[in-house]
Every structure is written in C-alpha cells, then in structure tokens.
Amino acid sequence: MVAPNGARRTKADHPALPMTLSEIVETARSCHAAGAQALHLHVRNDDGSHSLDAGRYREALAELAEAVPQMKVQITTEAAGIFDVSAQVQCLTEVAPRWASVSVREVARDVELAPSLYAACAEMACEVQHILYDVDDIKLLQQWQQRGIVRPGQDSVLFVLGRYSAGQVSSPADLRPFRASLPGVANWMVCAFGPDEHACLAAAAQEGGALRVGFENSLTAEDGNPHADNAASVAALLKRIAL
C-alpha cells in the first residue's frame, strides 16, 4: 500500500507530494506501475487542509476506480486534531467505502459512538483496518472485541512505528512489542516514520506482514536524500525486499 500524502504535509515538505485530486490520481497511476497494490487515500480542501468531506471522497474514489481499477483504495477517517468522532462516523456512513482505516485511539475520545461506528461498517460491508500506535491501543482494541463493540471479521490492523517517538523516528525493533501483544493476528500491516522506514518495512516483510510506504510517513531514504516521488519510494522498497 502507498500512503502518498497524509493529513498534514504540504508541497513545502516535498514538491512532489500530491494534494489536488488530479495529483493524487496521477500518483496512484505511477505507484501502481511501480508495484503498489493499494492506496491509502486522504483528500484535501481547496486550501490544502485535511478533509473528511464525503463529496470529495466519492469523487476521488470514482476517479481512482476509472484510472487504476486494479488498485484497492482505503479511505482514512483520521481526525488530525480537527474532527470529532461524530464527524468520523458521518464520513463513513455518507461515503460508504469498501475499506477504511480507523484509529481506536481517536474513537476512544467518544467511546459511546464506537458501537455505531463498527455496526455501520459491518452493515455496509466496509473492511476496517484498526490503526494502532502502541500496546495500549492493542489492549483497547482487545477490550472492544471482547465486549462485541468490534464485530467478528473486523480484525485487520496497522502497526504504526515511530509516530509518537522522539523526532518521529522508528527502528525495526519497534515492531517487537506489537507482534508480542498480537501474536495470532493474521491480517496485519506496518508503516514506519523516519529515515529507517524501508528497514522497518523489510523486517515486517520477513515476518509475513503487509507494508504501507509513502510520503505520509517518510520523505527520505536512509542516507537522508529525499525520494524523487512516492513511486520512487515504492520501487526502492520492492527492490529491497526482493533481494
């Protein structure tokens, strides 16, 4: 999976970071050609700010389905310090996507809405990927599973390495506590912040994990040089894990 932009970065961070819909579609094309099988989708407002607007999402999904029909697309419900849980639920119900990422940490801000969020996803057959930043997030997810808030089959997870570490820098060792806390999980993916992004993802690949790479998480290679664009990062990662 490629995560090409995220909620916060702009062209001031990297001139090739896609922000408009046309740029996102072109990035999807180039990343798919480089070997990415899926796209983690953030849409932006006209001023470049993070958006959960259902209309923008529906337009983007339609454009991507036309441009790269073989590429699976996941929308984000990330709050990014802007949206409350009710807005996240509204986004899901109005867009009705086939795949969405949900941060359990964010949903826990208004836990009374958690059952309706997961029920809505189950009713519209939307695959949920739980965003997990640390072991405490895993414990919260397990509690919700035990209580039936998270429905059967909603078991996909993304382990996020380095998001809240000093300088947002990750290392392959950061994967260990996640794997130890969820040893039996079958559908797991990893993303990693900082210059060791590819090293972390290569370590996850060796353990059978799926990988998320892109400018949302890291703009540079291990030597500190910036990737030319998202497709270059995808290609470099695939070359590395093929060795």
Side-chain angles (χ1 to χ4, degrees):
M1 173 188 281
V2 63
N5 52 8
R8 297 171 175 83
R9 283 179 167 152
T10 69
K11 291 186 182 297
D13 298 293
H14 195 298
L17 188 138
M19 296 182 67
T20 66
L21 178 53
S22 61
E23 290 172 341
I24 292 169
V25 170
E26 183 54 40
T27 297
R29 284 196 183 101
S30 63
C31 289
H32 184 258
Q37 298 172 331
L39 179 118
H40 177 68
L41 176 64
H42 284 256
V43 292
R44 301 291 186 94
N45 294 311
D46 290 340
D47 64 1
S49 60
H50 173 55
S51 178
L52 292 183
D53 180 78
R56 289 179 183 272
Y57 261 138
R58 287 193 293 264
E59 181 183 11
L61 289 168
E63 291 275 352
L64 289 164
E66 178 71 20
V68 279
Q70 306 93 342
M71 198 174 202
K72 192 175 179 183
V73 179
Q74 175 196 77
I75 75 163
T76 183
T77 61
E78 183 176 351
I82 301 170
F83 299 102
D84 59 18
V85 180
S86 63
Q88 294 173 294
V89 175
Q90 182 179 357
C91 172
L92 282 169
T93 55
E94 291 185 359
V95 178
R98 295 182 179 179
W99 194 15
S101 64
V102 174
S103 165
V104 295
R105 179 176 299 191
E106 290 182 348
V107 177
R109 295 174 300 157
D110 192 347
V111 71
E112 292 184 359
L113 290 178
S116 60
L117 183 150
Y118 287 107
C121 288
E123 289 169 5
M124 59 190 170
C126 171
E127 179 183 350
V128 177
Q129 184 182 62
H130 306 279
I131 308 298
L132 304 172
Y133 293 101
D134 56 25
V135 171
D136 287 339
D137 284 355
I138 292 175
K139 292 178 181 177
L140 182 59
L141 174 61
Q142 290 172 326
Q143 291 171 7
W144 289 358
Q145 289 170 329
Q146 292 167 2
R147 292 170 56 188
I149 293 173
V150 173
R151 302 301 182 88
Q154 294 176 336
D155 53 4
S156 171
V157 299
L158 174 75
F159 300 141
V160 183
L161 310 188
R163 175 67 175 86
Y164 292 104
S165 65
Q168 291 195 359
V169 174
S170 58
S171 74
D174 295 338
L175 180 59
R176 295 173 189 161
F178 288 95
R179 296 286 286 142
S181 297
L182 276 179
V185 67
N187 191 354
W188 61 283
M189 182 180 287
V190 172
C191 71
F193 282 81
D196 285 335
E197 175 194 33
H198 286 193
C200 293
L201 298 182
Q206 289 182 339
E207 296 189 30
L211 314 177
R212 194 184 94 175
V213 65
F215 282 4
E216 176 168 354
N217 301 113
S218 181
L219 303 170
T220 63
E222 290 171 276
D223 61 6
N225 290 317
H227 298 291
D229 52 26
N230 278 283
S233 181
V234 170
L237 174 64
L238 290 175
K239 181 179 179 179
R240 177 171 186 152
I241 64 177
L243 295 177

